[in-house]
Amino acid sequence: MPSASATRLAALRTLLKQNELDGLIIPHSDEFLGEYTPACAERLEWLTGFSGSAGMALVLADSAAVFSDGRYITQMDQQVDGSCWERQHIYQTPPPAWLARKAPKGARIGYDARIMSSAELRPFTTLSGITLVPTNGNLTDALWADRPAFPAAPATIHPLVYAGESSQDKRIRLGKTLADAGQAAAVLSDSASIAWLLNIRGTDIPCTPVVLAFAVLHADASVDLFLQASKLPADVREWLGADVRVHEPAALESVLATLSGKTVGVDPASNAVWFAETLTRHGATVQESPDPCVLPKARKNTTEQAGTRKAHLKDGVALCRFLHWLDTKEARGTTELQAATKLDAFRAEGADYRGESFPAISGAGPNGAVIHYRVTPESDRPLNANEVYLIDSGGQYLEGTTDVTRTVWTGPDAPPARLKETFTRVLKGQPAPWPRPLPRRHHRPRARRTGPV
């Protein structure tokens, strides 16, 4: 009996033929181009079985491949049906190179312009003998009968006591930046940028406190926000103020059309190619430029800095309690899943905890060596005596986010000398601070010069 992935792949190939296409590009990203997506946008997983946070699939009539980076090679081997999908390292075999080698001459390759960035699509545009064709809607969605609904949870206020700067002040500051660059407006698709700019939060993505929305920031400091009205409670609507105009997502193109004759900033990496195409079609001048929120968001104000320290103090208490618990009789025989759940429980006992910042990487023994290991009921194993246990986890607090990794020797015997030496060399091999940026090719030789242990 064919796997679910094989059945879905066959159905997709039939649909491609009906649409006069020879192939299709399926990225992991959603309309908002984030690394982490809601269940309704996990198209790559639905089609291929691969649930990693980065990747792409290419489908042709007689071949298909799934691509991801080195973090997920083992996971791809475990999740992707090798009888119908090739499993490729995305850097060793870049998707455009694979497509150039596999696609027939004159092939028409489809893509959804709403879920691919200009930067991601651009390498495919240079392929000789291949025509890229934007699809009418998403073809995977057309087959996904039980696709989950879009997240319906409401947006919430991120108070000034945590933000440290009002949304109005941020918008005025960034509006001046746009004006100085000769831009009348800039398109925002990054939910983290919108959350920062408007001082709002949400729960649309697991472990990430954002609300999924689009926005257009204008040089006059006003904003057009595209978000279902049902997701904006009255207090949040009042918090946003009169200079933030709220629209249903269906109104996005009509509002973009009002920018005809104006210069609009579009980040080619964080916005879908559809935005540049739509603005150009309606007579606007598209100027490729970085998301104007990225650098200001990264420059934490004093309130945010203090919040980060406070979040780490709270998290440190939970982590110390957890490490102590691992040494108690109660922890004997615990499994990877149980340990991760216990750590989350310790965090939840603290104030202002909002959940994990990512699913905990809880790996004992050989599982600790698996990059980005995600424990499941099937892979769950005990923390045995005298082995290494890796716990990589973090928490979301109102004040900030944490991400902490600890390597534990379970005992009761002392760790072997060889293990201590290896661990120390890896620790010392991490690149030391550089006086100036260096090309990545210099990092590995530097990391190998660890000196005496």
Side-chain angles (χ1 to χ4, degrees):
M1 182 176 178
S3 65
S5 178
T7 301
R8 292 166 181 172
L9 179 58
L12 179 59
R13 283 177 168 145
T14 299
L15 191 58
L16 292 179
K17 192 171 182 180
Q18 293 171 357
N19 283 268
E20 300 181 343
L21 295 171
D22 300 294
L24 186 67
I25 304 170
I26 305 106
H28 173 267
S29 55
D30 63 359
E31 293 82 346
F32 308 95
L33 301 189
E35 180 177 2
Y36 300 100
T37 58
C40 63
E42 289 289 355
R43 301 175 177 95
L44 188 64
E45 180 178 4
W46 179 84
L47 181 63
T48 70
F50 174 59
S51 63
S53 66
M56 176 178 285
L58 294 178
V59 174
L60 297 171
D62 56 1
S63 57
V66 182
F67 304 80
S68 193
D69 59 51
R71 297 173 296 169
Y72 296 114
I73 296 302
T74 300
Q75 186 173 332
M76 280 202 299
D77 289 343
Q78 295 170 343
Q79 294 182 330
V80 177
D81 183 353
S83 69
C84 55
W85 295 94
E86 296 179 26
R87 296 169 292 216
Q88 298 286 356
H89 192 295
I90 201 166
Y91 298 122
Q92 296 174 0
T93 306
W98 184 94
L99 188 62
R101 188 173 68 252
K102 295 277 190 173
K105 190 171 182 179
R108 289 166 48 85
I109 306 299
Y111 70 96
D112 184 350
R114 295 297 296 262
I115 64 172
M116 287 193 73
S117 70
S118 298
E120 190 174 32
L121 186 64
R122 196 163 288 154
F124 292 95
T125 65
T126 63
L127 300 181
S128 176
I130 289 176
T131 300
L132 296 177
V133 181
T135 57
N136 183 19
N138 189 281
L139 299 187
T140 305
D141 291 353
L143 298 171
W144 193 353
D146 58 348
R147 183 183 173 213
F150 189 83
T156 58
I157 294 170
H158 187 58
L160 195 61
V161 67
Y162 300 118
E165 182 181 12
S166 72
S167 172
Q168 183 180 31
D169 287 346
K170 292 176 182 178
R171 289 185 278 111
I172 290 172
R173 183 156 54 96
L174 268 60
K176 183 178 184 305
T177 300
L178 297 184
D180 290 345
Q183 298 175 359
V187 174
L188 303 176
S189 296
D190 185 340
S191 299
S193 291
I194 295 170
W196 173 83
L197 179 67
L198 300 180
N199 287 340
I200 58 175
R201 296 293 186 264
T203 57
D204 286 351
I205 302 176
C207 304
T208 307
V210 297
V211 57
L212 294 172
F214 298 109
V216 176
L217 170 65
H218 297 267
D220 65 2
S222 68
V223 168
D224 287 298
L225 176 66
F226 301 88
L227 180 68
Q228 294 90 337
S230 59
K231 293 173 67 69
L232 275 182
D235 62 332
V236 180
R237 186 66 194 85
E238 182 179 359
W239 172 259
L240 292 173
D243 288 333
V244 177
R245 299 174 289 272
V246 179
H247 312 266
E248 289 292 326
L252 184 55
E253 182 167 357
S254 63
V255 173
L256 292 179
T258 66
L259 298 172
S260 177
K262 299 178 180 179
T263 298
V264 182
V266 178
D267 184 351
S270 67
N271 289 295
V273 66
W274 177 87
F275 283 97
E277 293 173 349
T278 301
L279 286 164
T280 300
R281 186 169 66 251
H282 287 291
T285 298
V286 172
Q287 185 178 94
E288 289 193 352
S289 57
D291 178 336
C293 297
V294 169
L295 283 180
K297 176 164 64 73
R299 298 184 183 115
K300 303 303 181 185
N301 59 48
T302 55
T303 299
E304 291 171 318
Q305 291 176 33
T308 297
R309 296 186 186 101
K310 189 172 183 179
H312 275 278
L313 286 172
K314 292 179 177 180
D315 206 61
V317 170
L319 195 60
C320 287
R321 293 181 67 195
F322 172 73
L323 293 174
H324 168 73
W325 173 81
L326 283 178
D327 278 339
T328 66
K329 292 181 180 180
E330 182 186 346
R332 290 178 185 173
T334 193
T335 69
E336 296 165 330
L337 273 175
Q338 291 169 342
T341 300
K342 188 67 173 180
L343 176 53
D344 187 55
F346 280 131
R347 286 188 166 114
E349 291 176 10
D352 299 324
Y353 178 63
R354 291 296 180 266
E356 293 180 298
S357 57
F358 58 95
I361 299 172
S362 177
N367 288 347
V370 178
I371 302 175
H372 269 228
Y373 171 68
R374 174 80 72 85
V375 58
T376 66
E378 294 73 29
S379 68
D380 193 22
R381 71 186 295 276
L383 278 61
N384 295 319
N386 296 323
E387 68 177 3
V388 172
Y389 170 60
L390 175 75
I391 179 67
D392 181 0
S393 68
Q396 295 284 7
Y397 299 86
L398 288 179
E399 299 91 347
T401 303
T402 68
D403 179 347
V404 185
T405 303
R406 290 293 180 267
T407 306
V408 179
W409 174 251
T410 60
D413 297 342
R418 176 60 176 166
L419 176 64
K420 292 193 290 184
E421 178 188 357
T422 303
F423 182 89
T424 303
R425 286 192 181 279
V426 171
L427 180 64
K428 293 179 67 176
Q430 300 301 312
W434 295 95
R436 62 184 182 279
L438 289 177
R440 290 183 63 85
R441 66 178 181 271
H442 291 294
H443 289 187
R444 184 171 294 174
R446 164 82 177 212
R448 287 174 177 167
R449 295 197 295 269
T450 59
V453 175

